[in-house]
């Protein structure tokens, strides 16, 4: 029997409640998933028979890539949910969310979602109800599972009790429900619904500190990183909570040494934001100049942290407002609680460095902390006192004046483990819990301490000598039960950093035996380096299961690398070989001048020519026109420390110099339209490599260290692929999109958004844009050139091998010309390359000197630099235990406006 219903004739609001009372099952094909799926049916679902289950299949705007893995699907569903639910929950919605939470957690309501791309929009709405007596009926119509759908809109509905009709609808439901693309609703959605149902707003920062014990979750769980992105991962929350707790207890002192792509910036910045809210003093962030704007953008976009960056003359806030230029004294008057300053100002030893060092801070954050080092390093300096460079000396001065110091470096040891000691010695300024008092063995005998940690020396057998190493600093009781009992026996609280030498005599025999047992593992498992240096590797996070979810802490993302073998190196064309010779001849002519070093010129020319023929051509053209060459098209801290050759030093050119440069330019102009690298890029995009399929279909980012190369390649690819939009992602205002060879400027945020939605799948980028660029949607990466600073190579890789990547494997092709400088260095490194990567997680910056040495034909020096890189782990920085941190269920939240107001107060 078929019955027809129209909301014009009678409202449909009672349709479901009347028919679901006592029902044994309800299968529903609905529209988009939202909290409104139970807005009308909620009470009726409660009236269903005990043990009855309602199943709903919904649409979702999830991209098919979002459901490539279960983890990716859950992340995407959570994002979509958060976008549709206001953080400020009105009372009516609060009740509905509580009901939804109860239904989902009890299992009485099961929801699966289908990406739109599978069947398009689910406009066909239908349902099957199994009554208490086992009979069934179905309905088909336009009504969605929402309050407007059943009570407000004009809707048509037909019901059918025939077996044929019911079976037909049930078959449709099962086809959608059992589709391989259908995914279970993420637990995080139910969890967030329950949290929002009980949400309480803390309106004042002082109230958060006093009445809510300054809970970090309250200040974090509704930040954009949670509501618009993928949230925070277990290892990130663990570090933030640990650092904030240490700050409140007296001061946090850590080196965050996580591998590239594991979210160091967010961890440091959120910890610093919580510290700024808790205290009253300024926060200072020191970062390389190319990264200042990206630090500022990420802090504001992800963490709602208003901050200002210093451009060398004045402050610029997160809205782009430029403050008055009143000289260097203006540096003291940052308009925000958090100020971001270039490390270049410190490395130069400027007046700005002295001014900052005289201030007091709540927290100081230093990115790329390995740049703070002693000058006298290496085997000939093993027993000398440290001769600190300007950055290390600045840290020594400012650390006693800041409550917390957070240092970041994926490679805290570049050449010698003593570098780690120098960083810890800085952390310990004014804080004896790091390396102990000024009389501790760890401070006065650093080399011996490192030998004990590295296992080069056996632990002392004498109990008195062991006690001297262990007591100062005395590990906190939380580290091990034996330490806790020793502190208890000596009545030393965790707030006391060290024990006295004579305390050994106070220990009873059982405690002395405990001390002896602890000594066997102390240097390997409880030494000061492990406490202060936090390093999580991608391998550990990918291979270790989270005990709460029984899933890896991180979805494994493996790298399949191409271009590493000699056969895969790009053949060097005769024309380019001749150009290299012309460049050498030009540098030789310049070298005839007094007091002119040609090493800088040689490396610049070779780097640019090795990138693309066009980049080399433009460089030669500029030099002929009187323009000085630069090592980079975009800002780099190196420019702060070592000024490039000045134009006046080379011009006017001599007749011989101009002749060689003109010969070079003509060679490069001849070959500019037939660049072998561009041909290889096109082949990879259209055909792939090693059976991988076309890389364009997986999405591709192509990196170069030079803007000239990135612009030229993007234009070439756009002409070759006129139907494919090609994005240019670079620093400043250079970014945009090519369509059929026509360039249109486009904001970088819009480019990133279009990459996320799949509207852009081909991007050419520069190194200045590589840090902070998250392109998890793309699955392949091509390095058009190999940067001579190895850290940049890792930063490029980190754009796609990072948290949130939906694929289990990404593809990377490293391009270099055979017999070029890059190729010769690669051959020197090849036997140790993987071992160094495994050890550090990335290549030490010091290897850049090997490239320069080879460019200057000093292979012996290059071999010495490579050999100096440590071949064994400097110490085991073990963080193989991540304490569960549950922020997602936190219902008490610190008001966003209150946070912003507090953080907009200036220095």
């Amino acid at each position: 029997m078929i019955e027809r219903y129209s909301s014009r004739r009678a409202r449909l609001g009672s349709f479901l409640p009347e028919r679901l009372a006592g029902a044994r099952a309800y299968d529903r094909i609905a529209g988009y998933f939202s909290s409104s799926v139970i807005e009308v049916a909620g009470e009726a679902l409660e009236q269903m028979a005990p043990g009855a289950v309602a199943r709903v299949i919904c649409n979702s705007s999830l991209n098919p890539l979002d459901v490539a893995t279960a983890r990716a699907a859950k992340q995407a569903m959570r994002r979509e949910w958060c976008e549709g639910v206001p953080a400020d929950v009105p009372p009516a919605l609060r009740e509905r969310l509580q009901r939804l939470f109860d239904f989902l957690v009890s299992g009485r309501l099961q929801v699966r979602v289908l990406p739109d791309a599978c069947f398009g929009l689910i406009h066909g709405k239908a349902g099957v109800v199994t009554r208490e007596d086992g009979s069934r009926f179905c309905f088909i119509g336009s009504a969605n599972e929402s309050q407007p759908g059943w009570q407000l809109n004009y809707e048509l509905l037909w019901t059918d009790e025939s077996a044929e009709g019911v079976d037909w609808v049930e078959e449709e439901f099962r086809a959608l429900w059992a589709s391989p693309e259908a995914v279970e609703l993420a637990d995080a959605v139910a969890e967030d619904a329950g949290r929002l149902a009980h949400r309480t707003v803390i309106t004042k920062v002082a109230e958060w500190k006093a009445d809510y014990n300054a809970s970090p979750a309250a200040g974090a769980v509704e930040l954009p990183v949670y509501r618009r992105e993928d949230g925070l991962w277990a290892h990130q929350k663990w570090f933030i909570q640990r650092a904030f707790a240490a700050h409140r207890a007296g001061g946090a002192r850590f080196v965050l040494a996580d591998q590239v792509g594991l979210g160091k910036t967010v961890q440091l910045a959120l910890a610093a934001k919580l510290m700024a809210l808790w205290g009253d003093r300024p926060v200072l962030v020191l970062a390389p100049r190319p990264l200042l704007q990206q630090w500022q953008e990420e802090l504001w976009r992800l963490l709602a942290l208003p901050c200002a960056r210093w451009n060398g003359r004045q402050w610029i806030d997160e809205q782009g407002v430029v403050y008055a230029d009143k000289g260097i004294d203006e540096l003291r008057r940052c308009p925000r609680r958090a100020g971001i300053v270039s490390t270049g100002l410190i490395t130069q030893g400027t007046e700005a460095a002295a001014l900052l060092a005289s201030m007091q801070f709540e927290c100081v954050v230093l990115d790329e902390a390995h740049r703070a080092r002693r000058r006298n390093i290496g085997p000939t300096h093993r027993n000398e006192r440290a001769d600190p460079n300007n950055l290390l000396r600045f840290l020594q001065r400012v650390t006693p004046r800041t409550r917390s110091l957070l240092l970041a470096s994926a490679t805290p040891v570049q050449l010698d483990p003593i570098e780690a000691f120098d960083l810890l010695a800085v952390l310990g300024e004014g804080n004896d819990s790091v390396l102990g008092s000024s009389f501790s063995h760890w401070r006065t005998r650093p080399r011996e301490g490192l030998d004990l940690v590295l296992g080069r020396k056996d632990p002392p057998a004498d109990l008195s000598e062991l006690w001297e190493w262990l007591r100062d600093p005395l590990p906190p009781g939380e580290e091990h039960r034996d330490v806790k009992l020793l502190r208890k026996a000596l009545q030393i609280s965790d707030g006391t950093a060290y024990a006295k030498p004579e305390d050994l005599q106070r220990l009873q025999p059982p405690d002395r035996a405990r001390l002896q047992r602890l000594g066997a593992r102390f240097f390997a498992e409880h030494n000061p380096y492990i406490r202060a240096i936090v390093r999580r590797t991608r391998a550990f996070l990918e291979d270790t299961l989270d005990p709460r979810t029984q899933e890896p802490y991180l979805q494994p993302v493996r790298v399949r690398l191409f271009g590493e073998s000699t056969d895969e190196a790009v053949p060097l064309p005769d024309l380019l070989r001749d150009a290299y010779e012309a460049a050498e001849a030009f540098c030789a002519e310049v070298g005839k001048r007094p007091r002119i070093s040609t090493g800088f010129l040689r490396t610049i020319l070779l780097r640019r020519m090795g990138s693309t023929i066009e980049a080399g051509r433009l460089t030669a053209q500029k030099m002929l026109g009187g323009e000085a060459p630069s090592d980079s098209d975009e800002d780099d801290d190196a420019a702060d420390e070592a000024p490039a050759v000045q134009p006046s030093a080379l011009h006017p050119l001599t007749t011989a110099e101009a002749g060689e440069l003109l010969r070079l330019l003509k060679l490069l102009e001849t070959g500019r339209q037939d660049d072998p690298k561009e041909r290889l890029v096109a082949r990879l995009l259209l055909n792939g490599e090693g059976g991988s399929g076309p890389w364009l279909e997986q999405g591709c980012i192509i990196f170069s260290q030079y803007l000239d190369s990135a612009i030229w390649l993007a234009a070439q690819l756009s002409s070759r692929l006129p139907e494919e939009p090609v994005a240019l992602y670079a620093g400043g205002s250079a970014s945009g999109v090519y369509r059929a060879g026509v360039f249109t400027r486009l904001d970088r945020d819009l480019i990133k958004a279009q990459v996320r939605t799949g509207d852009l799948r081909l991007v050419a980028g520069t190194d200045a844009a590589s840090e902070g660029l998250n392109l998890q949607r793309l699955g392949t990466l091509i390095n058009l050139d190999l940067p001579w600073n190895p850290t940049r190579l890792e930063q490029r890789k980190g754009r796609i091998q990072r948290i949130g990547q939906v694929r289990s494997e990404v593809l990377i092709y490293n391009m270099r010309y055979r017999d070029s400088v890059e190729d010769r260095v690669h051959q020197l490194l090849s036997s140790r390359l993987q071992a160094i990567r495994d050890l550090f997680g990335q290549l030490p910056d010091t290897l850049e000197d090997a490239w320069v040495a080879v460019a200057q034909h000093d292979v012996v020096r290059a071999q010495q630099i490579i050999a100096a890189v440590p071949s064994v782990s400097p110490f085991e920085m073990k963080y193989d235990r991540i304490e569960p941190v549950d922020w997602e269920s936190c219902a008490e939240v610190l008001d966003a406006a209150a946070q912003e107001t507090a953080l907009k107060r200036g220095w």
Side-chain angles (χ1 to χ4, degrees):
M1 176 181 172
I2 294 178
E3 294 183 354
R4 301 171 183 85
Y5 298 84
S6 165
S7 61
R8 182 179 63 82
R9 300 172 186 268
R11 287 297 174 188
L12 303 177
S14 62
F15 180 88
L16 276 179
E18 291 175 357
R19 287 159 179 79
L20 289 182
R24 288 161 49 179
Y26 176 39
D27 289 342
R28 179 72 155 109
I29 301 172
Y32 279 95
F33 171 77
S34 72
S35 63
S36 64
V37 296
I38 49 86
E39 193 167 7
V40 173
E43 292 182 8
L45 292 176
E46 290 169 346
Q47 299 304 314
M48 291 177 69
V53 173
R55 299 187 297 177
V56 181
I57 184 75
C58 301
N59 252 138
S60 170
S61 59
L62 302 182
N63 187 291
L65 276 176
D66 289 327
V67 297
T69 64
R71 175 69 66 85
K74 291 176 181 177
Q75 293 167 353
M77 271 187 276
R78 186 185 180 282
R79 277 199 308 271
E80 188 173 67
W81 161 264
C82 290
E83 288 171 1
V85 178
D88 188 9
V89 185
L93 178 57
R94 190 185 300 268
E95 180 181 349
R96 188 201 313 163
L97 289 169
Q98 180 62 54
R99 182 171 287 164
L100 175 61
F101 173 75
D102 293 339
F103 279 133
L104 291 171
V105 170
S106 69
R108 294 163 62 194
L109 174 63
Q110 299 175 9
V111 180
R112 290 184 183 178
V113 295
L114 266 173
D116 294 345
C118 298
F119 297 100
L121 297 178
I122 298 181
H123 272 298
K125 312 299 192 302
V128 174
V129 177
T130 303
R131 298 187 180 97
E132 194 171 9
D133 61 5
S135 63
R136 300 183 302 160
F137 81 93
C138 68
F139 62 87
I140 299 175
S142 57
N144 203 355
E145 202 80 345
S146 65
Q147 191 261 347
W150 286 111
Q151 296 179 357
L152 300 178
N153 299 340
Y154 172 73
E155 307 285 359
L156 295 175
L157 205 67
W158 288 32
T159 64
D160 186 353
E161 299 209 15
S162 70
E164 180 183 7
V166 173
D167 288 345
W168 189 88
V169 172
E170 187 66 36
E171 182 181 351
E172 289 299 306
F173 172 82
R174 288 176 178 171
L176 300 178
W177 184 264
S179 169
E181 288 84 9
V183 290
E184 300 283 352
L185 189 69
D187 292 341
V189 172
E191 187 175 54
D192 195 57
R195 184 188 72 80
L196 291 172
H198 299 91
R199 181 175 181 267
T200 300
V201 178
I202 307 168
T203 58
K204 297 179 180 179
V205 173
E207 181 186 358
W208 168 70
K209 292 170 61 176
D211 299 338
Y212 291 88
N213 197 29
S215 162
V221 75
E222 289 189 353
L223 292 175
V225 72
Y226 266 102
R227 307 308 292 176
R228 297 201 298 264
E229 301 291 333
D230 295 329
L232 295 170
W233 294 69
H235 71 283
Q236 295 176 311
K237 290 183 290 185
W238 179 88
F239 175 79
I240 294 165
Q241 184 150 301
R242 179 185 174 103
F244 184 51
H247 180 80
R248 295 173 61 194
R253 295 286 195 269
F254 293 110
V255 178
L256 184 58
D258 285 350
Q259 286 185 333
V260 171
L262 297 182
K264 286 193 292 293
T265 301
V266 169
Q267 295 177 73
L268 296 167
L270 184 48
K273 178 180 180 178
L274 292 169
M275 293 172 186
L277 289 170
W278 186 86
D280 298 314
R281 293 185 293 184
V283 168
L284 173 66
V285 176
L286 296 168
R289 188 168 66 180
L291 307 185
L292 296 188
Q293 185 170 351
Q294 294 188 10
W295 261 88
Q296 185 177 39
E297 290 173 355
E298 198 156 327
L299 267 55
W300 180 239
R301 181 176 60 86
L302 295 179
L303 305 178
L305 172 53
C307 53
R309 73 179 191 276
W310 179 255
N311 68 0
R313 302 176 307 280
Q314 55 209 137
W315 290 104
I316 304 173
D317 71 17
E318 73 286 345
Q319 303 292 347
V321 175
V322 180
Y323 290 76
D325 182 357
K326 297 180 180 178
I328 192 63
D329 283 343
E330 192 66 17
L331 188 59
R332 293 182 183 271
R333 292 182 283 274
C334 178
R336 299 287 185 263
R337 287 287 300 286
I340 310 173
V341 176
S342 167
T343 46
L345 293 178
I346 311 301
T347 57
Q348 289 179 80
T350 62
E351 184 183 350
L355 189 152
L356 290 172
S358 68
M359 296 178 62
Q360 292 191 334
F361 296 97
E362 196 70 32
C363 175
V364 172
V365 176
L366 172 63
D367 197 8
E368 296 197 12
H370 54 268
R371 297 188 179 192
R373 60 198 312 178
R374 58 175 70 191
R375 295 187 178 93
N376 52 332
I377 198 166
T380 60
H381 300 286
R382 282 187 59 85
N383 295 314
E384 295 181 18
R385 291 176 60 86
D387 177 19
N389 64 8
N390 287 339
L391 185 54
L392 183 58
R393 184 177 289 108
F394 171 82
L395 290 179
Q396 291 170 344
R397 293 177 59 192
V398 80
T399 301
R401 308 178 70 84
T402 183
R403 186 178 184 92
S404 289
L405 178 65
L406 303 177
L407 309 178
S409 173
T411 53
V413 173
Q414 297 261 315
L415 288 176
D416 190 315
I418 199 66
E419 294 169 277
F421 166 78
D422 289 338
L423 293 181
L424 259 67
V426 162
L427 294 179
E429 293 287 341
N431 191 319
D432 291 342
S433 67
V434 180
L435 280 178
S437 68
S438 57
F439 303 104
S440 80
H441 279 11
W442 294 102
R443 286 185 181 275
T444 59
R445 293 150 68 170
R447 289 287 184 184
E448 186 179 351
L450 285 167
D451 286 343
L452 287 165
V453 170
L454 291 167
R456 297 170 178 168
K457 182 177 180 179
D458 293 334
D462 180 71
L463 195 61
S464 298
E465 178 65 9
L466 174 63
W467 177 243
E468 286 302 313
W469 286 102
L470 192 144
R471 72 168 185 83
D472 191 5
L474 188 63
E478 65 179 23
E479 276 202 14
H480 194 274
R481 180 174 179 272
D482 285 341
V483 177
K484 186 175 183 179
L485 292 173
L486 285 173
R487 280 185 172 270
K488 183 178 180 180
L490 295 170
Q491 296 181 317
I492 299 176
S493 70
D494 269 348
T496 302
Y498 51 83
K500 299 176 182 178
E502 58 270 23
D503 284 340
L504 177 61
Q505 309 306 318
R506 296 169 51 205
L507 293 176
Q508 298 300 312
D511 290 319
R512 295 170 73 90
R514 184 172 288 112
L515 174 62
Q516 195 76 58
R517 289 197 308 271
L518 184 61
R521 67 172 70 92
F522 169 72
F523 293 100
E525 300 176 14
H526 303 290
N527 67 76
Y529 291 93
I530 290 176
R531 281 198 292 281
I533 302 178
V534 178
R535 179 177 184 259
R536 280 75 58 91
T537 65
R538 175 171 287 277
F540 161 66
L541 294 172
E542 291 180 344
D543 296 339
T544 306
L545 296 182
D546 184 334
R548 293 191 304 164
T549 63
Q550 291 304 304
E551 294 180 354
Y553 284 114
L554 280 186
Q555 173 193 330
V557 180
R558 311 304 182 194
V559 173
R560 190 176 171 194
L561 198 58
F562 299 92
E564 290 298 285
S565 69
T566 302
D567 292 341
E568 290 178 306
V570 182
L572 189 65
D574 290 340
L575 180 145
L576 200 51
R577 193 183 302 275
D578 292 342
Y580 274 131
E581 292 177 359
E584 292 281 3
F586 167 70
C587 291
E589 287 296 333
V590 173
K592 295 176 181 179
R593 298 188 185 202
R595 296 183 298 280
I596 289 289
S597 171
T598 61
F600 179 78
L601 285 176
R602 182 182 288 109
T603 55
I604 288 177
L605 280 172
L606 295 183
R607 286 183 185 190
R608 288 181 173 267
M609 289 164 54
S611 174
T612 59
I613 293 174
E614 178 67 2
R617 183 189 74 83
L618 291 174
T619 302
Q621 189 177 68
K622 290 174 183 177
M623 293 174 69
L624 268 173
E627 188 173 335
S630 170
D631 192 35
S632 174
D633 289 309
E634 305 187 64
D635 285 348
D636 188 351
D637 258 359
D640 291 332
E641 302 176 39
V645 176
Q646 298 299 315
S648 58
L650 290 181
H651 289 275
L653 295 172
T654 67
T655 302
E657 290 167 354
E660 292 297 349
L661 197 54
L662 189 59
R663 180 165 73 95
L664 170 63
L665 181 60
K666 288 180 178 178
L667 286 167
L668 296 174
E669 286 179 337
T670 301
R672 61 185 295 209
Q673 296 303 325
D674 188 28
D675 193 303
K677 287 190 173 183
E678 191 271 340
R679 293 201 309 270
L680 178 53
V681 168
R683 179 172 68 78
L684 290 170
L685 293 175
L686 298 175
N687 302 318
E689 184 79 2
S692 60
W695 286 24
L696 183 58
E697 293 181 2
Q698 302 178 56
C700 185
I701 172 77
I702 306 162
F703 271 117
S704 171
Q705 57 191 321
Y706 299 113
L707 183 59
D708 288 340
S709 291
I711 291 174
W712 175 82
L713 181 66
Q716 291 291 111
L717 292 176
S718 182
S719 297
R720 187 187 284 266
L721 305 168
E723 302 299 319
E724 186 74 28
V726 183
L728 173 68
Y729 192 100
S733 59
S735 298
V737 176
Y738 285 90
R739 288 183 170 86
V742 179
F743 180 72
T744 303
R745 293 199 183 277
L746 193 66
D747 184 81
R748 290 189 300 182
D749 285 340
L750 293 176
I751 291 175
K752 286 188 285 189
Q754 290 184 24
V755 170
R756 166 172 275 181
T757 59
D759 296 317
L760 279 172
R761 56 178 185 171
L762 183 55
V763 181
T766 62
D767 280 310
S770 67
E771 182 66 20
L773 175 61
N774 305 331
L775 295 175
Q776 299 95 318
R777 183 70 67 193
L778 306 180
T780 67
L781 184 151
I782 298 172
N783 285 311
L784 191 67
D785 46 50
L786 300 183
W788 292 12
N789 182 328
T791 297
R792 290 189 171 181
L793 195 61
E794 300 302 321
Q795 287 172 345
R796 292 179 182 182
K797 183 180 72 171
R799 299 315 98 206
I800 62 171
Q801 190 196 24
R802 66 183 301 105
I803 293 173
Q805 170 60 253
V806 297
R807 296 170 180 82
S808 59
E809 181 182 67
V810 293
L811 312 176
I812 297 178
Y813 201 113
N814 290 332
M815 291 187 180
R816 69 186 191 281
Y817 282 117
R818 196 173 300 152
D819 299 326
S820 64
V821 174
E822 290 86 354
D823 190 39
R824 294 197 294 273
V825 173
H826 187 274
Q827 291 174 20
L828 290 173
L829 274 172
S830 59
S831 62
R832 292 200 57 204
L833 204 58
Q834 191 55 51
I836 293 172
R837 276 205 180 100
D838 290 344
L839 173 63
F840 293 101
Q842 68 179 51
L843 301 178
D845 286 356
T846 49
L847 288 178
E848 181 175 10
D849 295 338
W851 263 262
V852 176
V854 171
Q856 297 176 355
H857 308 294
D858 191 348
V859 175
V860 173
R861 172 63 181 151
Q863 290 173 328
Q864 291 172 342
I865 293 168
I866 293 168
V869 177
S871 57
V872 297
S873 176
F875 26 73
E876 288 294 324
M877 294 172 283
K878 293 182 180 177
Y879 280 87
D880 54 3
R881 177 179 52 90
I882 296 177
E883 298 288 348
V885 177
D886 177 20
W887 288 0
E888 287 71 14
S889 63
C890 178
E892 298 82 21
V893 296
L894 179 57
D895 180 62
Q899 293 188 50
E900 186 172 327
T901 299
L903 296 168
K904 279 189 172 179
R905 294 203 309 268
W907 287 6

